[in-house]
Amino acid sequence: MGSLGGNGSPLAWVAIHREHHRFTDMDKDPHGLSKGFFRVQFGSFIDTPKIRYVPDLLRSKFHVTLHQYYWLYNVAYLILMYSLFGVPGIIFGYFVPTLLVWHAGSFINTINHRLGYRNFETKDLSTNNLVLGYLVSGEGWHNNHHASVSDPQFGKKWWEFDLGYQIIKLIRK
Ligand SMILES: [Zn+2]
C-alpha cells in the first residue's frame, strides 16, 4: 500500500533514502536542498535510484517483483478505484491520497533539513519539527532519525508522539 504514495517501489525508495543518509546535505544528496526547494518538493519522481545501495533487497524476489511491476499495480489500483466508484474513485481513492503522501515525504526532505529544533548534534542540518512530527506520523522527528538511523523509534522526548513506531510495535507482536 505504501508504494501507492507516488514515491516509487520500496526498493527504489530505500535506495534513494540510503543515498540521502550517505551524503546528507551535501551536493550528492539526492534530495538535498542544494538542488533547490522546488526541485526537492515537486521533483522527487525524477530521482534515479542507484541499485548499489540495495544489494540486500536485490536478493529478495518479493522486492524485485514489487519494483518490476510498480506501474502495473498502480494502474491496476486505479482501474479498481474507477470500477468501484467511477471518477470520484480515481480522484479521492488515488490522486488525492497520493499527492498528500508524496508531499508529506517531500516536506520531510525540505522543512526537516532547515526548520525546527535539534535534540542531537549530528553532522547534517536535520531538525525535529513539531508540525511535521504530528502531521507525518512521527517522521518529522527527523533529527532523532539522523542521530540513530537504525532505530525505528523516531520520537525521543515525551511530546514527540511517534504513530509510526506505535504501529510497528503493534504489528511486531
Ligand atoms: Zn534527512
Side-chain angles (χ1 to χ4, degrees), residues 49-69:
K50 297 181 178 74
I51 59 169
R52 67 175 172 268
Y53 290 107
V54 285
D56 50 340
L57 296 185
L58 287 172
R59 289 190 292 274
S60 163
K61 190 169 176 50
F62 174 74
H63 281 291
V64 170
T65 303
L66 271 182
H67 183 72
Q68 286 175 325
Y69 296 104

Side-chain angles (χ1 to χ4, degrees), residues 10-166:
L11 189 149
W13 188 91
V14 169
I16 292 168
H17 189 70
R18 286 176 179 170
E19 188 177 11
H20 166 64
H21 279 278
R22 172 92 168 77
F23 299 108
T24 307
D25 295 318
M26 297 185 231
D27 285 344
K28 288 184 173 179
D29 185 342
H31 40 68
L33 285 176
S34 63
K35 294 180 170 42
F37 177 87
F38 285 98
R39 164 62 180 81
V40 176
Q41 185 65 39
F42 299 99
S44 63
F45 62 91
I46 59 171
D47 290 344
T48 306
K50 297 181 178 74
I51 59 169
R52 67 175 172 268
Y53 290 107
V54 285
D56 50 340
L57 296 185
L58 287 172
R59 289 190 292 274
S60 163
K61 190 169 176 50
F62 174 74
H63 281 291
V64 170
T65 303
L66 271 182
H67 183 72
Q68 286 175 325
Y69 296 104
Y70 173 73
W71 288 109
L72 184 66
Y73 60 79
N74 270 266
V75 170
Y77 182 73
L78 255 175
I79 292 169
L80 176 68
M81 287 293 104
Y82 181 73
S83 303
L84 293 174
F85 307 108
V87 172
I90 293 175
I91 295 169
F92 297 106
Y94 188 82
F95 285 109
V96 169
T98 295
L99 281 173
L100 289 174
V101 171
W102 177 40
H103 279 290
S106 294
F107 276 130
I108 298 299
N109 298 331
T110 53
I111 304 296
N112 272 127
H113 278 266
R114 287 298 182 272
L115 299 175
Y117 64 93
R118 290 164 61 85
N119 288 336
F120 302 97
E121 283 308 313
T122 54
K123 293 177 181 172
D124 51 57
L125 302 171
S126 62
T127 62
N128 297 322
N129 184 286
L130 279 171
V131 174
L132 290 175
Y134 289 103
L135 276 183
V136 193
S137 308
E139 288 285 327
W141 316 127
H142 202 60
N143 171 250
N144 300 346
H145 171 55
H146 273 272
S148 50
V149 294
S150 59
D151 186 352
Q153 184 177 2
F154 289 12
K156 301 296 182 191
K157 305 284 187 185
W158 67 266
W159 65 83
E160 295 171 346
F161 179 67
D162 185 347
L163 179 63
Y165 184 60
Q166 298 308 316

